[in-house]
Each structure stands twice: as C-alpha cells, then as structure tokens.
Amino acid sequence: MKTYRIATIPGDGIGKEVVPAGRQALEALAARSDAFRFEFENFDWGGDYYRQHGVMMPADGLDALRDKDAILFGSAGDPHIPDHITLWGLRLKICQGFDQYANVRPTRILPGIDAPLKRCKPADLDWVIVRENSEGEYAGIGGRAHQGHPIEVATDVSIMTRAGVERVLRFAFRLAQSRPRKLLTVITKSNAQRHAMVMWDEIALQVSREFPDVKWDKELVDAATARMVNRPASLDTIVATNLHADILSDLAAALAGSLGIAPTANLDPERRYPSMFEPIHGSAFDIMGKGLANPVGTFWSVVMMLEHLGETGAAKLVMNAIEQVTANPSLHTGDLGGNATTAQVTDAVCQHIAAHARPALAA
Ligand code: IPM
Ligand code: MG
C-alpha cells in the first residue's frame, strides 16, 4: 500500500472551508482503495498566523513541506493585511521556493454550467493555460525611492531568463503534444515589449523544432482576449508569461461559467520539490464562514493532484463525481446561481466516489 504525504494549507477566508472539503474527498477515495492511503499534515499559515507572529509562515516553513508528496492550498488574502504581504509571504514563497515553474490551468465548460458565451458550444471551450510561474513580471525585482516626495519613483522590473523561458515553453509544447489536438498558442507582446518578449518569441521558435507534430501559432495578448471570446474553438493549449496568463486565466474561468470551479497546479515538473494544487478563486471574505463556498475548484485541483501522483483511476473518478454534481442544478452553489451549501456539494461528491469506487479504483 502506497502512502502519500499531503500537506494542507487552508490559508484565509473560504480556503478554510474548501480545503477540508478536498481532504474529505481524498479520504473517501483512500477508504475504498487497497492501493494507496494519505497521511495529512495541516499548516495554519496565513492571515491569522500573521496577526500572531508577524509573518505569514515560519522562516523554516519550506522545510516542513519539503518531504511531502503534494500540497493542497486554499487561498491567501485578508482584508486587513496588504495583498502584497499575504501573496509574497506565503503562496509565492512556496511557488518560488520550490521552483514550481509551470502553473497549469485547465478550463472547460462542465455539464450543467450556464456559461456566458451564447454562441459557444461546451465542446468549443477546452483549454489548458500554462502560466510561467517563477519569474517574469512576478520576479519581485524593483524598488522605490524618494518616498512621499513629489519626485517619488517606483519600478517593477520583469525578468526573463533564457533558461526560465525555455523550460516553460518546452513544458507547454510537451503538454500540447499529449492532448488530442496537439495545438499550442504562444501568447506574446513582442510588438510593444521589444526585448524580453522578442527573446520569448525566438525561444518559442527554437523549442518548436523539437515538437514537429505540434501545430502552434503566436498571438498578441490583447488579441488573445478577443479570440477567446470570438473563436474559442481555435484554442487548445495556451502558454503565456506570469502576468499575461494571470489575466487570461481569469477570463478563461469566467467564460467557463464561474471562478469557483477553476483549478490550478503549481508544478515542479522535475519533481525535485512537492507541487502545489489550489483553486483559482481567492479568499472571498464576503461569504466566508457561511458554508456557501463552491468546493468544486478544490475538487478539480484534487484531480490534478491525483494525476500528478500517477493515480489516474482515482483522478477520473473524482472528475466524474464533479461532473455529476455540476450537472445537477440543485447542487449549484451561489456563484452558479443556486443555493446549495459547501457541505451538500461535498457529500454528493463523496457519495459518488463511494458508489463508483469499486471498478474505478481497481482499474
Ligand atoms: C492567481 C491570483 C494571484 C496572482 C493573486 C492572488 C496575487 O490572481 O493565482 O491567479 O496574481 O498570481
Ligand atoms: Mg489571477
């Protein structure tokens, strides 16, 4: 029997509700599997920890995570703490500390979801966005001088390294190659950003030669937003810089019907460190503590975690459970226009897992 060591970090707001829901689904799987079990360790890092200790996580926090097989993360963000502190003090510290350079964001219109694009059939929108997750606009390079004076100055310098660009583009080409359509769109802005993005384009061309069976094209990031709305079926795998993909992935999630559904994997493809899985939504303080959060984004993140661990049968089972739930409007939470609770959706997913575990987990 295989044991996977999973760190759970609920973080702030509704993260504290959806991460336990994700853990419940994992426990429902393990209860019916002869092949694997989970060993969980929970970390109470985030805004409350910051109020007590003055930091979002302890200085040696990464060491506590280092030997885990995966991390399930909720959200970081607190209305009483500046966003750049919550972000840099926890989530980015883990992503960058563990060199999780490939951020993967699948988007589909799940059964039963009323998506806003009226001319788009659900099958037309099946994308995976690969976000560069270690440098670029999020490199953290810059500073401020003359603070509070009329001549105040501030810089945020985007850093692109050849090695960093090459590895994420290679990851994206490989992912595109593994999908049925073998289609990749490389997002750029090399018309305006005439140094780093020109290098990005050059490296895309170089890496593309390793993947002759992948069809690829380039799209400027602004034009890409229009293309996502007007010609969704022309896209499949998409790769973009840290900030470009941040923006495009919110648009993608909205076009698929709700931010509450979308998942993310922060991957170290070389598996030197644990990878981290999280719903794309934020801490949503307006609904926190009410049991109204949509746990589907976390369940889908759990699917990505299981895929990463190589448990493909279990991953498919959880994805089927999610699709059963979304297909049933009485199990829609508020973000989808329904009034189901986190607990009702979680129970339905766990029941589906229990009912279908036999053939699925034996396979
Ligand atoms: C995301 C989020 C974060 C980001 C926020 C919370 C800083 O929007 O994961 O897309 O911009 O990276
Ligand atoms: Mg974002």
Side-chain angles (χ1 to χ4, degrees), residues 71 91 95 100-106 129-131 133 171 262-268 275-280 300-301 303-305 307-308:
I71 304 164
R91 191 173 155 272
C95 289
Q100 296 164 342
Y101 65 83
N103 179 276
V104 182
R105 302 186 158 187
I129 297 179
V130 176
R131 171 179 179 181
N133 210 32
F171 177 89
T264 286
N266 300 283
L267 300 179
D268 165 26
S275 293
M276 181 161 73
F277 303 83
E278 53 170 341
I280 190 174
W300 198 345
S301 305
V303 171
M304 299 186 82
M305 175 191 285
E307 281 166 353
H308 182 73

Side-chain angles (χ1 to χ4, degrees), residues 303-352:
V303 171
M304 299 186 82
M305 175 191 285
L306 291 164
E307 281 166 353
H308 182 73
L309 295 173
E311 297 296 343
T312 46
K316 281 201 189 101
L317 175 58
V318 179
M319 199 65 221
N320 288 342
I322 291 171
E323 295 188 351
Q324 289 298 311
V325 159
T326 59
N328 180 353
S330 72
L331 288 171
H332 285 185
T333 44
D335 55 305
L336 299 173
N339 46 32
T341 63
T342 312
Q344 284 166 339
V345 179
T346 305
D347 288 346
V349 163
C350 291
Q351 273 163 27
H352 181 97

Side-chain angles (χ1 to χ4, degrees), residues 10-16 45-48 51 56 73-87 90-91 281-285 288:
D12 304 317
I14 60 169
K16 294 191 177 112
W45 303 338
D48 294 337
R51 271 181 283 277
M56 293 288 288
F73 188 85
S75 61
D78 186 301
H80 307 295
I81 306 172
D83 284 340
H84 64 274
I85 291 181
T86 51
L87 177 69
L90 184 55
R91 191 173 155 272
H281 63 68
S283 46
F285 266 70
M288 85 178 235

Side-chain angles (χ1 to χ4, degrees), residues 91 105 131 138 242-243 245-250 259 280:
R91 191 173 155 272
R105 302 186 158 187
R131 171 179 179 181
Y138 283 58
N242 215 328
L243 182 63
D246 175 42
I247 298 163
L248 295 182
S249 60
D250 265 30
L259 276 177
I280 190 174

Side-chain angles (χ1 to χ4, degrees), residues 132-147:
E132 200 296 314
N133 210 32
S134 69
E135 53 175 30
E137 308 87 342
Y138 283 58
I141 305 291
R144 292 174 69 170
H146 309 302
Q147 278 197 48

